[in-house]
Amino acid sequence: MVVGLLFTAYQLSDNEGTGVNAALSLLIGSALGIAFERGRFCFFCIFRDAIEDRDTTPFLSILSAIAVGAIGYAVIFGQFLPDTSSDRLPPNAHIGPVSTALVVAGLAFGIGMALSGACISGHLYRIGQGSLRAYPALFGSLIGFGLGFKSWNTLYSKSISDAPTTWLPHYLGYGGSLALTLLLLALIAVVAIKFGKNSTPLSNPVATKIDLASLRQSLLINRWRPLTTGAIFGVIGTFAYLRIEPLGVTRQISTTSRTYFEGQGWIPQNLDGLDLMAGCIAVVSTAIVNNGWLILGIVIASFAAALAGNRFKFQQITWRNAITALVGGLLLGWSSMIALGCTVGVLLSGTQSFALSGWVFFATAFTGAWIGIKLKLHKL
């Protein structure tokens, strides 16, 4: 299977219609798929463990990903935009407007995670683990994106058009922004560790001797350490931004939705200001965009990782949890369209790029998940 991915990437790199970016996207998606599956890097599961079980060890992986990615982004930004005093923003970085619509979208995304059982990236890698519930959730997100396009112009005129696009280096420079980010992450980590009364150990037991059996156990069976998993995501995110675009998993889904619904005449052809913004922005296209190859890599690589660790198993689906997954997916799609991305495209890529919008989405998505968990929506 790994050989098949590498061969496909080679074929894509040699294809004039797709090019090197498609090949790199497939390889980056493959790396993400392995890291998602082996690190159990599902935002909702991480939030649920912290809120419901008071196990905050997995939560540290998110903080680690932001920290490592922020360091990498700061280095790259210094090459693209050495002068932060101007009004310019780094090219393609996911720095979005901070508006009431973003707050509502973040809350809706958190509730959608609770209803469907995962975020969009979580559903993608869980397909590789055999999740049948991921299919209605992702189908719901396609429809949800359509509802987002339908409501965009109204929300844009009332809330988003005049909202500030706050990029911390404009005020603090790269050094100050990085220092503030790392300080904030450290404070959150301290609070999380104190709150985590039932937290699992931060690291797995070290094998007495290193051999093939212990390596297989560490790489394929045991859950990867949270700080290591987060660091891997930070490195992948930095590389993705340097070579192609910031990490995100919704551009292909939103592109498919926009192309179909616009073709049916169900959404406006003119979406005010959208195409000028930064984020997981949809285009009208029937071709697979780079993000589509990244998604394919996530699904196939997570399947390979699950299969190698004997974790692949078709999970039971019922009419009840299929409906909650569909409704949750609707919320995930709508909110991802309004927020211009999801937990990967806005929360990770946004905070790593020192965008205030990333932190607002982090806080509101966590709050939405907390509301959903307290209402026991994840148990419906």
Side-chain angles (χ1 to χ4, degrees):
M1 192 170 296
V2 174
V3 173
L5 281 172
L6 293 175
F7 179 75
T8 303
Y10 173 76
Q11 291 293 103
L12 288 172
S13 66
D14 200 38
N15 189 329
E16 294 182 1
T18 53
V20 176
N21 283 348
L24 279 176
S25 295
L26 180 64
L27 294 176
I28 291 171
S30 300
L32 285 175
I34 294 171
F36 272 127
E37 204 282 331
R38 293 304 299 113
R40 312 292 197 275
F41 198 78
C42 168
F43 285 88
F44 174 68
C45 298
I46 291 171
F47 290 168
R48 182 197 61 207
D49 288 346
I51 296 167
E52 192 172 49
D53 301 330
R54 300 193 71 170
D55 178 5
T56 55
T57 297
F59 187 82
L60 300 179
S61 62
I62 298 177
L63 306 183
S64 173
I66 296 173
V68 173
I71 294 171
Y73 267 65
V75 173
I76 296 174
F77 284 168
Q79 304 300 315
F80 285 153
L81 191 65
D83 181 12
T84 61
S85 62
S86 68
D87 292 334
R88 292 177 57 204
L89 293 173
N92 300 323
H94 288 183
I95 305 166
V98 180
S99 63
T100 304
L102 177 64
V103 173
V104 174
L107 291 170
F109 193 92
I111 294 172
M113 287 195 295
L115 270 172
S116 69
C119 58
I120 291 178
S121 59
H123 285 302
L124 288 172
Y125 93 75
R126 284 184 171 183
I127 289 177
Q129 292 182 326
S131 172
L132 298 177
R133 199 171 177 230
Y135 293 97
L138 292 173
F139 179 73
S141 71
L142 279 170
I143 301 174
F145 271 104
L147 296 175
F149 294 129
K150 187 76 172 176
S151 58
W152 172 261
N153 285 347
T154 300
L155 291 174
Y156 181 80
S157 63
K158 293 183 178 298
S159 174
I160 301 172
S161 61
D162 296 328
T165 300
T166 305
W167 187 48
L168 295 180
H170 277 330
Y171 308 95
L172 304 174
Y174 294 124
S177 300
L178 181 58
L180 178 61
T181 298
L182 296 178
L183 176 61
L184 182 57
L185 291 171
L187 292 174
I188 296 173
V190 169
V191 173
I193 291 171
K194 288 187 175 181
F195 181 79
K197 301 297 183 182
N198 303 316
S199 291
T200 52
L202 190 59
S203 62
N204 300 322
V206 179
T208 55
K209 65 176 183 177
I210 299 177
D211 52 23
L212 289 177
S214 62
L215 285 175
R216 181 180 183 277
Q217 187 74 23
S218 298
L219 294 176
L220 301 179
I221 307 301
N222 293 340
R223 180 176 184 172
W224 286 358
R225 298 176 182 181
L227 295 181
T228 303
T229 300
I232 290 171
F233 272 94
V235 170
I236 294 174
T238 301
F239 178 79
Y241 176 61
L242 178 63
R243 293 306 304 271
I244 306 175
E245 61 186 6
L247 283 185
V249 298
T250 62
R251 188 188 297 273
Q252 180 65 63
I253 299 173
S254 60
T255 290
T256 301
S257 177
R258 182 177 180 180
T259 301
Y260 176 76
F261 285 112
E262 185 174 308
Q264 299 297 315
W266 294 344
I267 62 173
Q269 287 190 340
N270 181 37
L271 297 171
D272 298 339
L274 179 63
D275 295 329
L276 300 177
M277 293 190 172
C280 297
I281 308 298
V283 296
V284 177
S285 173
T286 56
I288 299 178
V289 299
N290 290 328
N291 188 249
W293 294 109
L294 182 137
I295 289 174
L296 183 63
I298 290 175
V299 174
I300 295 177
S302 63
F303 170 68
L307 202 61
N310 295 320
R311 285 179 301 277
F312 179 82
K313 182 181 179 181
F314 285 115
Q315 299 170 12
Q316 184 179 7
I317 187 170
T318 64
W319 280 109
R320 184 173 180 175
N321 65 24
I323 291 173
T324 56
L326 179 68
V327 175
L330 287 170
L331 290 174
L332 293 176
W334 179 85
S335 56
S336 293
M337 193 274 131
I338 301 302
L340 307 179
C342 64
T343 40
V344 175
V346 182
L347 194 161
L348 277 189
S349 294
T351 53
Q352 290 169 344
S353 62
F354 310 113
L356 182 59
S357 55
W359 287 104
V360 171
F361 190 81
F362 190 172
T364 53
F366 181 85
T367 302
W370 182 86
I371 293 171
I373 290 168
K374 293 301 180 181
L375 293 176
K376 301 187 183 303
L377 299 181
H378 60 306
K379 295 184 177 179
L380 291 178

